[in-house]
Amino acid sequence: MAVDRIRLARALAAIATDSGTPAELPDRLCQTCVTVLPVDGVGVSLVSREHSGGRALLGASDSVSAQIEELQFDLGEGPCISAFGDGQPVLVADLRADDLHARWPMFTRAVQAIEAVAIFAFPLQLGAIGIGVLDCYRARAGPLREVTEALTVADAVTLALLNLQARLNGGPGPAEGTELFDLSWRDHAEVHQATGALAAQLDISTDEALARLRAYAFRHARPLRVVAADVMARRLQFEPNGDGSGRP
């Protein structure tokens, strides 16, 4: 499906001028992206090296997009992680391809349970500064031929989020994404709290603590947020053996 250039221009203008409330704007940006790109859903995640865990869901156009972002947050791997780390798009035409199992073994296994078959991830960056990733999914396999248009949309979303950040700061300058992360942490606060608590308990880094929480969640097929809630409620205790195990 060819992208309608007039419709694309209107969508870009809408993204640039959207003055919705901070809590509503990220989802609205994702929904606007879906109206002009040949994809079934869009999610936006923030990525920062200044925060424990490094990334968090900011917005999504639908429940499947939200699940895709959550899976990558829980597992710490996937197209979003790779796109941000490499600073370039990661275009996956078919998530069922054998070679992807070696690259993202946990993600490719878990994503089979939802509708996504193809994922196209675009870093949100301004020059050398990256703030996150735009993930587009489709329920059918096949390449994305409208990469140029998708890159233009990703640039517009980046500027819209930086403008939102400036509004949250009350001034023109960004502040390392902290305020945007505050918006996204409403869904992941307990994970971050449990990470900090486990790091203090075992005298390990927050990165290692989060890795152990993720390993336990994956091994027992439980959502990361549920594991974190058990840690904070002291229903789950981790031993200092370094193997990612825990005991209820």
Side-chain angles (χ1 to χ4, degrees):
M1 179 184 76
V3 171
D4 184 322
R5 296 285 178 171
I6 296 177
R7 194 175 181 183
L8 175 59
R10 289 174 178 169
L12 294 176
I15 290 172
T17 60
D18 195 320
S19 58
T21 65
E24 297 172 339
L25 182 58
D27 285 349
R28 286 166 55 159
L29 290 177
C30 293
Q31 291 158 5
T32 301
C33 293
V34 174
T35 66
V36 292
L37 295 176
V39 297
D40 296 315
V42 170
V44 170
S45 282
L46 296 177
V47 185
S48 171
R49 296 178 178 86
E50 304 299 320
H51 297 82
S52 173
R55 65 178 300 276
L57 169 68
L58 183 62
S61 64
D62 61 286
S63 62
V64 174
S65 295
Q67 288 180 66
I68 292 169
E69 301 306 299
E70 291 284 355
L71 275 179
Q72 295 180 92
F73 174 81
D74 286 1
L75 301 174
E77 65 176 38
C80 173
I81 312 297
S82 297
F84 185 82
D86 297 341
Q88 60 185 14
V90 173
L91 309 176
V92 182
D94 192 343
L95 284 164
R96 300 163 299 187
D98 292 338
D99 60 316
L100 297 180
H101 295 292
R103 188 175 188 184
W104 308 306
M106 295 183 293
F107 176 74
T108 50
R109 171 182 166 185
V111 80
Q112 293 176 12
I114 58 180
E115 298 176 16
V117 179
I119 293 181
F120 314 105
F122 299 88
L124 301 175
Q125 56 189 35
L126 184 63
I129 300 174
I131 63 170
V133 177
L134 179 79
D135 279 334
C136 306
Y137 89 87
R138 281 203 307 227
R140 64 188 187 283
L144 180 69
R145 305 191 187 282
E146 297 78 8
V147 173
T148 300
E149 290 84 354
L151 287 169
T152 302
V153 170
D155 287 344
V157 171
T158 301
L159 291 175
L161 292 179
L162 289 175
N163 287 336
L164 172 59
Q165 184 170 271
R167 285 167 52 196
L168 292 170
N169 287 344
E176 300 300 326
T178 301
E179 289 77 10
L180 288 177
F181 257 91
D182 289 341
L183 288 178
S184 65
W185 277 22
R186 65 188 183 274
D187 295 325
H188 293 134
E190 204 153 29
V191 173
H192 296 290
Q193 292 166 2
T195 298
L198 185 60
Q201 173 197 336
L202 301 182
D203 192 25
I204 58 179
S205 69
T206 54
D207 286 345
E208 183 178 350
L210 182 60
R212 293 193 63 179
L213 289 173
R214 282 172 167 158
Y216 183 89
F218 181 73
R219 184 175 295 115
H220 295 274
R222 301 178 68 200
L224 184 59
R225 285 176 294 178
V226 173
V227 173
D230 284 348
V231 169
M232 295 306 296
R234 300 190 177 183
R235 292 187 294 265
L236 179 62
Q237 298 286 326
F238 278 75
E239 303 293 348
N241 53 20
D243 66 355
S245 63
R247 61 177 177 81

